[in-house]
Amino acid sequence: MKEYLTLTQIQEDLREGVLTCVNLVKHYLDRIQENAHLNAFVEVYAAEALAAAEVVDQKLARGEAGRLAGLILGLKDVLSHQGHAVRAGSKILNSYTAPYTATAVQRLLDADAIVIGRQNCDEFAMGSSNENSAFGPVLNAADHTRVPGGSSGGSAAAVQAGLCHASLGSDTGGSVRQPAAFCGVVGLKPSYGRISRHGLIAYASSFDCIGPITRSVADAALLLEIMSGADDFDSTVSTREVPAYSESLAWSGKARIGYIRESVESTAIAPEIREKTTALLDRLKAKGHAVEPIEMPLLHSLLPTYYILTTAEASSNLSRFDGVRYGHRSQEATDLESLYKRSRTKGFGEEVRRRILLGTFVLSANYYDAYYTKAQRVRRLVREESERFFKQFDFLISPVTPTTAFKIGEKTEDPLQMYLADIFTVQANVIGNPAIAIPCGSGENSLPIGIQVMAPYFGEKNMLAFASYLESLGLKH
Ligand SMILES: NC(=O)C[C@H](N)C(=O)O
């Protein structure tokens, strides 16, 4: 089958009759089977997807199909889909079936997207390599000895390897963008409050965002447009009007671009990443855009702020998994306390337990001010610093990650090294702004490299148009 970069191309072929949804689904089912070693999917809905494809084909024949007819989609294992298992990559949810569908997923289904399966991820979205999954690691399709990134590793690898056309992931500190960069695909994190979180299994509620992983900026824009907007089930969603992102992708004019000096100068960043970023910035300068370095004094406070606040929120969010109401329940418990202890100790993996402990520690009475309150203050300062930045600039450009995809097992013994993979992605979540990762060619060993564009709060429209312009420069090659 042809390599489709956009849904528009698929829909053209559907219209001309050279393709049907049933053919498409069959094709992806074969691809999933051929690539089972990647471990990208934890469950495949073969019969259901084929039945849905027949319905969409009939709708197409009647001219009644929705805007996403022909979109074959994978869902990260943290998104609720009524009647289907959802495990958050964890053993603790081993017998749980979603009783309702996430708003974002429902909106895609209503537009005739077809869900082909559930995708592997780090447990409760905690990780940057997909090695923290109860279902085992996912392999990067560009090099099977390397990680696909995380936590939406299965979702990114599936799009990379052509196992589905697009995926839906979640991004708390880079979980959509970092794996997208490691896998050479597009990953979009919208503004906090743009897409409803209803039905997304919570990790850190003031950071979590649902976002698409696609092969093109155009598809990211279309999915965002369909998923965005007010929702009675989530009071943190903005009621701001949803622009027609997919129809506003033409970029004209000159952008004011800032970049953090350290991101291209620091020797802590792999030379190939610095080279790619510098080359792009030089190219943009040559095209007449204003490109300026900035100092970001708070850069080094970003990771501690992120990991203090997210672990605090996680320790609270995950307290609901107690062996009583959901999932794994220890059979060896003798009283209520031992039921909690044994169920949680067995049900959660090592990284999740580490974060619950860290979060509980930073929220404990004696340390609350020293860690939690302080981190909240720094969050405010980072926000203020970013607001000042976006008064002067349209976009912040940076690498997505300090290195390309690392080896499986390389960082598992040292969680701090793993956390460092998020240095450029967490800022957008700390301040709530939108950011997108787009492929920017490959480096040594032919491993993909990504570039990140961050925009002002609710500045998705301009950001996507600019990202589409960058894509048109042919950065991928
Ligand atoms: N969830 C995310 O966005 C990924 C981040 N690496 C974390 O472990 O928190």
Side-chain angles (χ1 to χ4, degrees), residues 76 122 124-129 132 150-152 170-178 203 208 306-307 310 351 355 418-419 421-422 425-426 429:
K76 180 178 179 180
D122 282 303
F124 284 97
M126 296 176 188
S128 308
S129 66
N132 303 332
S151 62
S152 315
S170 66
D171 189 313
T172 304
S175 272
V176 159
R177 291 161 287 152
Q178 186 254 18
Y203 158 17
D208 295 341
Y306 172 81
Y307 276 99
T310 53
E351 181 63 21
R355 295 203 194 185
M418 187 76 87
Y419 299 167
D422 305 339
T425 49
V426 293
N429 305 74

Side-chain angles (χ1 to χ4, degrees), residues 156 159 171 173-190 211-218 220-221 280 396-401 424-425 428 433-441 448-455 463-464 466-468 470-471 475-476:
V159 177
D171 189 313
S175 272
V176 159
R177 291 161 287 152
Q178 186 254 18
F182 277 7
C183 294
V185 294
V186 174
L188 167 66
K189 176 215 134 14
I213 295 176
T214 57
R215 310 190 112 200
S216 63
V217 174
L280 172 66
L396 177 69
I397 287 191
S398 71
V400 185
T401 52
F424 295 120
T425 49
N433 287 31
I436 188 167
I438 58 169
C440 192
I449 292 180
I451 196 89
Q452 176 173 251
V453 180
M454 195 192 300
M463 182 181 83
L464 288 162
F466 190 68
S468 173
L470 291 181
E471 191 177 52
L475 306 182
K476 238 174 152 177

Side-chain angles (χ1 to χ4, degrees), residues 354-395:
R354 176 183 293 120
R355 295 203 194 185
I356 292 174
L357 288 175
L358 276 172
T360 309
F361 174 75
V362 300
L363 288 175
S364 60
N366 285 343
Y367 296 98
Y368 189 88
D369 282 341
Y371 293 102
Y372 186 75
T373 310
K374 200 167 170 188
Q376 288 290 23
R377 290 210 182 104
V378 179
R379 188 176 199 183
R380 159 72 66 88
L381 290 176
V382 177
R383 245 184 220 143
E384 287 171 359
E385 191 178 84
S386 305
E387 273 164 22
R388 279 196 298 277
F389 172 86
F390 284 115
K391 282 204 175 103
Q392 232 186 311
F393 297 97
D394 300 310
F395 307 112

